[in-house]
Structures are given as structure tokens and as C-alpha cells.
Amino acid sequence: MRAILLLALIGIGTFGFAQTNINGNVVDQNNEPIPGANIVIVGTTIGTVTDFDGNFNLATSEVPPFKIEISSIGYSSATEAITGNNQTLTISLNESQTFLDEVVISASRTPERIFESPVTVERMGLETIKSTTAADFYGGLENLKGVDVNTNSLTFKSVNTRGFASFANTRFMQLVDGMDNSTPALNFPIGNLVGMVETDVLSVELLPGASSALYGANAFNGILFMRSKSPFDYEGISVSIKRGITSQKASGDNAYTDFGIRAAHKFSDKFAAKVNFGYLKGTDWAANNIAGKDDNNFITTDRTRANDLNYNGVNVYGDDYAGNIKNVALLLEARGLIPAGANALIPSVEVSRTGYNESDLTNYNAESIKADWGLYYRPIEDNSLELSYVGKVGTGNTIYQGTNRYNIKGFFQEQHKLEIKNDNFFVRGYLVGDKSGDSYDMGFTGIQINRSWKDDSTWFGQYTGAYLQATLAGATDEAAHAAGRATAETGRFLPGTPEFQAAFDRSVNDPNLLTGSKFQDASKYYHADANYNFSHLIDFADIQVGGSFREYSLNSSGTIYTDADGPINYSEFGIYSQVQKNLPLAGEKSLKLTGSVRYDKSEFFDGFFSPRVSAGLTLNRNHNIRASAQTGFRNPTTQDLFIGLATGGPNLVGSAPDNLDRYTARPANVSAAGQLLGQPATIAQSGRAAYENSYTRSSVNRFNETGNVADLEIGNPDIIKPEQVASFEIGYRGKIDKLIVDFSTYYNSYSDFISQEVVITPYYGTVGDGSLSVDAILNGDEQEFSAYTNSDADVNSYGASLGLSMKVLGNYDLEGSYTYTKLDFDREANPNLQLNFNTPEHKFKASFGNAELFKNFGFNVSYRFSDDYFWEATFAQGVVPEFHNVDAQINYSVPSIKSTFKAGGTNILGDEYFTAVGTGFIGSMYYLSWTINN
């Protein structure tokens, strides 16, 4: 049935042949070409853009007379009448003090001015990218109003809006020419590591907030659209060469190289092709935080190896494996290795093994190599029908911080897309696949290196025995512990030695987490979507229909998911429709009404409808008021459903119906006290225990402090289901004299909020029995699990953004924005719910520059302020201090050689900061670049 529908849409779309061809040139008031200007037939989605020299060609099936609108950032738009075929135009645009005439597509899946968009939208065009103070266009997203960019590493930045940020940001969607850029293994995009080459970027649009009504379940917190240049419109070879240094206290000064090249050729009016290549190499921001974490992963700067027996350093790995030496003493007694009753001299305390610093386990190599190519065919002369094939491949090295810190080494991702489209429809299908390469878990690497020179039983046995001997000799408790550690540490592999390197190599090449730390993955997903716009057939309203289908194939060989016995396959689909009507009112007033609804269905859950209604009231050409209300939802991710991963901390176990028994934790040693109760020496629990026989972690912590059994609370979290949000937004865009204003405020209310809840399962007994399960907790015979579930707590967020821009002192651009974001949630009533809001309450951004300070010379300076905020995540939790950041750049263009030279720096004040606890401090970067024909 789907195939019949798509063929019908294609048939309708190709009915009729083009009759009109338009050529033209767009220049400014100084007769200089304007590249990247938008040309759109008024009232349709048909359009094109100008090339580097300001030229354009537009072939259309529209029959004259009709009008085209020409617009570009920084210029007033113009309208030209088309009265016949093969008309040639020269259009001059005057500089304007507003960006409101820019054309965007993402807000309604149809071209419209930002001024009239029914929802908030941010945009970067070619001129904005050229003037950005960031080192590249992706980093320039940090300067957009309301946008948060959390830096995981030099090559991995996570974009988010309106709260609930994490590096595993499954709430935010990223599309490149309509293709989802998220990795199949992780289910979220890894920045621009395997994304776009800058010389091929045409524009970037960002929709903050829920966009499920048009774009499906993953567009929950926002969506980023990146569009590339068509080889029909942008021919030739473009090159960008960037060289510089990164500077950080922890890692010093290191070389930085970023190279990109684009080659495109229009062989005829029917066939064009392009190819892109990008290469980036640098040294990552080193993470060297040795502060300790408590039992809830809160960072406490007063915890060190010197004063904390159970020390677990933030960027120290292998020390998160600990044992109670009282239990060890009981076991030694039972085996006759120490005198009977000697355990009375051993305190009941947790002691951790000595770990290795992160710098011992990675070389901080940051690298990205990516290429893409496209073949484009327009079979009917002077018709917009286009068939295309696009391929993308990328590989790279970066660091990802999730439950642990992971060295993503040699990661590979490929995408292949086939698409057919014209001005009224598109049908596309694509494949996204990845391979994990030589990636490994640095936390487990530290653990396995420790075990390679001395297994845990021997280490803790030696520690306990030496402690006992020192105590019997009259040593103080502190001295006895020092003697215990010194004895247990004999034979330790020191970093830099051949023994250490051999143990490291064995671990990172072994995918069995019982003995190694490598993770494997060759997952993929298949996606198809289609859209048809009936505006050329129906006059009374702009009507669109569309749909999508996706099938996942998870294949991590049991190192991430519970797929040790073969790939896990499942699918989901969605259909949607949108109706948009522009109603003229008195004078210059008009009212644009938009209504849309989408239905999505995953094979594991009931279907969901996501409606959206919006209204935009244009008072005159300078003032527009908008309001929208919508619901959104997100399906549980692949990790929410099928993860089964030991982390050294809580074991992660997804809650798909058949996943609870697919996952079995590694066999755990039962204490001597437990064995005296008739329990076996080892127990291996299934994932079902987390959901059906568990206590909440907070209640276990209270019980450990008070000894009161009544403090224990049953956990047993529910199986996961989709999360929903109701979102309401009001906004204003306008021009008041020379001042451009863009304001929005929103309120989001969440239900069935998807979260992770850490629970503790006793190795024996039934929770709530008041006896055997309590004994298990007292004996330390327990396992932590991080369960994926929904909360019935009231979770709401709200906020507002205000953007101001104007020309000052003649031709200088002055811009500023303020964003307020607030979480409304009762933490005290829900201590076990981890929301990962991770967003500053106050943000301020400003920029000052001049694109033409004098002929061909421009500059820009930007400033960002972030309030302090609490970072909540499974790896570590703590406060991110407020920070101030200044970036700057100067650029000089040489039109005769079509070149732009740029010198810039990021964080030029040198005040290092971080956006998430556990990551490396972000230092400074200084660079020179030469861009040709872009």
C-alpha cells in the first residue's frame, strides 16, 4: 500500500512539463555580486540560490505571469515580475538592517520568511558562517540565541535547546540534506565528527523545542537542519585551509589543522556531480580532574586518595572497583588463611583499588576524516524533477562521556541516499551504518589493567592480611591501611613500562568485558520518507502530506546491547499532514494559520498523535506576533530498550519486554557471611531483578546510615513507555526604528518522563521481606542497576529568549541575546529521579562587528556568558561554574583570486572553563585560514 501511494505521488508530481526558464544576476548597490541569495517563486516552494558570482538559473513548470522574490541576509528583499520564457534579469538589493527577510524551510517544510514563521527559528547563512568567530560553522552554533553547545571533546560537541541536555542527546535531531545524522549504535549525533565539510554548507537552520508534529519522535527538544550546495547552482573547486594551535594548561600548546575541499561540475542542464573531502587533526582537551566522587557520583573536592579509602577519582579509572575488607577477612577465616576471630580486628569499610589517570589510557588524538559525493540527474529539460544519489563516509577519533569515558578510536559511519524530488514532492530512502573501530571504555581499561597484574581476590586478600599484621604490631588504623595498600600494590604495572603497555593492548583489543574493554558495533538503520505539497493543485490552502518508516538493526555482538546471539531488529513508522492558510486582513494585516498532525507507531508501543496549531498575525511589514500549541512525544531509544552493559558502576539494562531476561550480569562473589546463610559462592543476576526485586538507591543509603529497616523502599521501576510533552509558545518579531527584536517565551509540561533510576538488587531474598534481603544489603551482597523507566512526577520547564540587533555607528553590527531557562520539579519529593536538565538558568550572548570596515576587510567579536548550573549524569554530578568567553576574528577578501583570509581565536582571554563535569577544561584556539571560491 505504501509503495502504491508513493508511486501515485510521484506520478502527480511529474505530471506536466516545465515551460519557463529564468536567468539572472543578483548584486548589491555597489554592483558587487551577492552569493547565496534566495530566489523563490511567490506562493510556491520553487526556488534556487545564486552562485559565487551572484548568478542563478531557475527552471520551472510555472506558466507566466508570476512573481519571484529575491532575498539575502543583510539586504532588503525584492520582487520581480516574470512575464515570459527565457527572461534574463539583473536584480540589485539594497543593504538592510534586518534579517527578518531571510527565507527558511524547516519551520513549515515550505519556504517562508523568518518574519512570518509560525515558530521560533534560528538561521546561519553563508555570510553568517563567513563572519562567525568560532573555528568552524558548527562551533558557530554556540552564538545563536537560545542554543546550548556542550563540549564533549575537541571534535564532539552536543547541540541542545530548552533544557534536558546530555552528550547522549536523543532528544535533539540533526539532519543533513534530509538524512538523520545520528549514529545507529548510540542513537544520537556525535557532533560534526562525520558530518558536513564546511565548504559545502549552504545554510543551517535550527528549530528550538518540540517539532514532533512534522519530524517525528526524535525531534523532541529541537532539530538542526544543515543544507549543502547543489552542483547545479554552485560549480567549481572550493578550498579551505586552516592552521593554528590549541592551548590548554593540562595538555600544553598543540598543532591544529582543518582542511576542506569541494569540487562540483554541471556537465549539462541535466547532469551535475560533486565531491567533498575534509580532514581535521588536533589534540583533545585533556581531562585531569582527580577530585573524588561519593556513592552517588557527586564530585567532592575534599576527597583524595590520601584521605579516602574508597576513593573514586573523576578522571581516574580502575579505582571504582572496591570491596569491604571485613567481608574479605571473614572469607579468609573460613579458608583458614587467618586465625579464627581475627576478623574482629578488621573494620567494616570499603576500600578501592588504585586506579590510573585518564592521561595514561589515551593519547588525546582528535581526528576527523570525511568525504561525500553526489550524482544529480534532471531527466526532463527545464523541469525541476531531480533524481540523486548521495554517499557519505567518515571516520575519526574523539572522546565520548556517557556512563564512563570512552575513547572513540577509528569510528566509521556511512550513509547512502537515493532521492527523487521536484518542486512539489520528495521521496527518499537511505541507509546509515556504523562500525566502532578500535573504540574502548577507559573505565574498564583501568580495571582490566589492574586485574592483569593482580586479580581482585589476591589484591584484597593481601591488603586485608597486611592490615591485620600491622594492627597486631601496634600500628594505628591509618598506618595499617597504608601498609595494606603498599603490600597489595607490589607488582603494579606502571604507565610507560612494557608490562603496562602489553596489558593495555590486551584490554583494548578484547571485547569480552569480563577480561577486556573494547566495544564492538556494526549497527545500522534503514529509513524512508516522503512528502507531497498540493499547493500547485489546490488554491485555498497550502496542504502537505507525508510519512516515514525506519527499521533498526542493532549489532554490537553483546558489547553494548543484548545481541550476543544475533542482531536485534525492530521498526517504527509515521504519517502526517499539514494545512496552512494565509488570510488577508484590513490594510497590511494578515493572519497565517497552520495546523498539522502526525501519527507515529513503534512495534513495541501504542500509536501516538502529535497535533500542532499555530497562528501568525502580521500587523504590518515591521511587526509580527505568533503563537503555537503542540504536543510531542518520543519513543524510547535503542539504548532505553536493549542496552545491557556492565560499567564498573551501575549495570545498564534496557526494559524492552524481552530484554529483562536477555541480560545477565557477570557472576558476582557472595560474601562469606552470605555463604554462611546457605548462598552459593557466586550469583549472576538477570536484568529482571532490577525491575522486579530492587530497592531504591537513596533508601539503601539511608539504611546504611541509620540501620533502620523501615528506611528501605522497594524500587521495582515500571517498564518503559513513550514520553509526551505539551508545549506552548508565544513570540514577537519586529523592527522598531533601527532595532530588530525577536522574542519568544514557552512552557513545556512533560508526562511519563523517560529517565534512568538507579536501584539496588539484593543477591538473595525478596525485597520487602524484612529478613534475607536485608541481610544481603548488610553483607554488601548487592548489585546496582540503572533501569530505564518513566516517572509519574510533575516535570515542567519554561523560559524565554530575547534577541536584539541593529546597525550602529554607521555600518557596525551590534547583536545581543538573553535566554532564561527554568526547571519546575520537586527534587525532594523525587530523590531517585535523574532528569539531566543540565542547563544554565541565565545565558547572555553579544557580538560586535563590521563586514566591511573598509573595502574587503571585516571583523567580528563575540561574547558569551553562562550562569552556573548543576550537571547531572551517570558518570559524575556536580556544579559547572559560571563562565565568560570571548572569541574574535578578522577577515580580508581578495576578489581577484576569489579568496578570503581569516585570523581568529576562541576563548582569547584564556580563562579555561567546562560545560559538563568530568570533561577536560576548554582552552584557547588560535588559527589562520585561507578560503578559496566559497
Side-chain angles (χ1 to χ4, degrees), residues 160-208:
N160 192 60
T161 62
R162 300 185 177 179
F164 305 105
S166 70
F167 293 124
N169 193 0
T170 56
R171 295 171 173 267
F172 192 88
M173 196 172 185
Q174 183 169 295
L175 300 179
V176 177
D177 289 332
M179 278 194 295
D180 192 346
N181 197 226
S182 63
T183 67
L186 302 174
N187 214 206
F188 56 84
I190 52 175
N192 198 42
L193 180 69
V194 291
M196 292 194 72
V197 178
E198 185 163 319
T199 48
D200 195 39
V201 178
L202 176 63
S203 67
V204 179
E205 297 177 21
L206 189 148
L207 293 182

Side-chain angles (χ1 to χ4, degrees), residues 70-117:
I70 305 94
S71 63
S72 182
I73 183 172
Y75 298 90
S76 297
S77 60
T79 303
E80 293 284 340
I82 304 302
T83 57
N85 190 21
N86 295 320
Q87 193 166 338
T88 300
L89 304 170
T90 298
I91 302 107
S92 178
L93 299 183
N94 294 319
E95 286 191 9
S96 171
Q97 300 179 28
T98 175
F99 67 91
L100 300 180
D101 291 326
E102 286 187 74
V103 174
V104 294
I105 299 175
S106 56
S108 303
R109 284 190 181 265
T110 187
E112 59 191 348
R113 296 165 61 213
I114 285 182
F115 179 71
E116 299 169 339
S117 168

